[in-house]
Amino acid sequence: MGTFRRLCMLNSSLFFACATLGCTITFNAGAGPREKQPPQTDDPSTTLAHSVDDPIFVDWSYKTLKNARGGDSHPPSPRTVDPDSLTERVDYNDKNIYVPMPHPGGAHGPGFTGSMNWLVRNSMKKVAESGAPVTFLIRHRNCPFPYDTHGSPTTPNALRDALASLPKLDYLFMDLEGKPSDITRNVREIVRLVRSHPNPQIANAYIGNYNDGPETYNDAMIWAATRNRESVGATSWNQSRFYLESGMNVAMPIAYPYEAYSVHTSVRNQGTAGTTPNDRAAMLWTPIERVSAAARALPEGHKIVPWVSNFISFEDESRRDMYHAAPQSDEDQTALIQHLRLRGADGFALFAPEQTESPRFPQLSYTNYRELAMHAWASLDEIFDNASSFEILTLETTKRSGVVWSGVRSGDHVAVLVSNLSGKGQPVSIPLPSIQGLPESTEPVADGSHKLFVYQLPAGSNDPALNALAPSPNSDNPLLDGSDDSALTNEINSETVSTDTGFSRGSETQPEPAVDQRSITLANARNARIRAAKSKPRNSVRSVSRSGSRKSSAERKRVYRAEDRKESED
């Protein structure tokens, strides 16, 4: 338990601060993760039913239920034994659990037909009966029109077999990467088959594909020439429009910490106004910007389920001068998951390599990260669960500063997480929105640390008439815009108002494009226009209502309020 607690706790660099009517009480949150209650699913009244507002957590490596002893070995087919006795029990008495995500057929994993189909069918049956969300994954060899097969087996009917076997489907995720023609052809057919299904508990499933979302521009891509989502690659594919017109309703931005993100510190590649102050800041800012950009453009009723990971390395030693960001610490990994939740993520899809897959980094552990990510998410439950709705306080980021803040207002509480990775050795305070009962700014946050502030608001502060929500806070602290020039001190949360995308697990480390000075010049000019356009007051608040009961995507409202407004494993 000692190692587990060490990995999952928020250490001394992360604190909770609770402010009540001007009285601030600070206490250390390093007492360890909240312990789960013992399973009580023998009593049916304690069993939860997955609702539209509950998060979804899937793990690339968790394809079917474990065996009854928690292991991975299963018989080819049960003969005289009840299959239920051969697989683990599913207790959905806590919404924060990973659910199995089969990759059916195509040599990706056992399918709903063929060898070991009993295991997939039994896994999905037990998950459905528990009330947990049912999902599976479509990839390049089990999609309707397989591609990049390289002689491996294919299962083009995997989706039809699954839909014929399942009593319900809550999420259908896809990992379709590569040529736009292969992606679009398959996604359209997959959406058509699901949406036309006669069972409404299948037809209304949430559908998303790796790297697809509504954002039109992606400042987080390391090469300036690849950031326009409306003109991707040699075919000028409009990836943003494709998402919006495809029938998908889950954005799946990539929130992996790539070793390649060190390129964000390079003036040669980013321009004088487009760098992060250091590798550590780049590893935090980039995933947050990806998710934030998707959230800024997200249509009503859609969800965001980002892909997360402990680290994606680049093993080509010849490029070590360019790709050299180190894996995140436990504290940075915890803060990243919390930032994503505070910016509207609806759960996450996990892809975490072991040390054996990245030999240069012996500290990597799939098991440890899997636990850490879930406990980082769950550490904010009390903030989100104390009210029927919450407001996202900012979806903006500032790249050059190395400082990121995220926040929500939930009932009579406001939570703000500040990460100061500026590397300048000085503390930073973040100005807060103009909400009755909040101080003007947070307490100072030391360089190299993360701090979570939880403020309790006075009675009556929920009345909208008493609160004029301020624009994303500006600051008179030059640390926040990465410059010592006082003329630039109002750029906090306004420097990068781009829209974001992800990329495949391998595409960020493709050969470097020729340095495109025109693209860099245009990017710098674009940032200048953004700063000028945002000089007038503007809110960056999203209001989310939660009903606690299942609704269709059209009924679930996300309201934006503003004045102006993998390289796959086989």
Side-chain angles (χ1 to χ4, degrees), residues 546-565:
R546 297 181 306 196
S547 67
S549 60
R550 185 173 179 85
K551 293 182 178 180
S552 69
S553 60
E555 292 175 311
R556 185 170 188 257
K557 303 296 185 182
R558 291 176 181 264
V559 181
Y560 296 80
R561 301 197 306 180
E563 282 190 9
D564 302 326
R565 334 193 174 184

Side-chain angles (χ1 to χ4, degrees), residues 510-568:
Q510 295 299 314
E512 174 188 1
V515 175
D516 185 349
Q517 293 299 335
R518 180 175 180 274
S519 293
I520 292 176
T521 300
L522 289 174
N524 288 340
R526 178 181 178 280
N527 285 340
R529 289 196 301 272
I530 288 168
R531 290 193 290 270
K534 293 195 63 175
S535 60
K536 57 183 177 179
R538 164 178 168 165
N539 289 337
S540 183
V541 178
R542 186 176 73 186
S543 177
V544 182
S545 296
R546 297 181 306 196
S547 67
S549 60
R550 185 173 179 85
K551 293 182 178 180
S552 69
S553 60
E555 292 175 311
R556 185 170 188 257
K557 303 296 185 182
R558 291 176 181 264
V559 181
Y560 296 80
R561 301 197 306 180
E563 282 190 9
D564 302 326
R565 334 193 174 184
K566 337 183 217 126
E567 188 171 47
S568 302

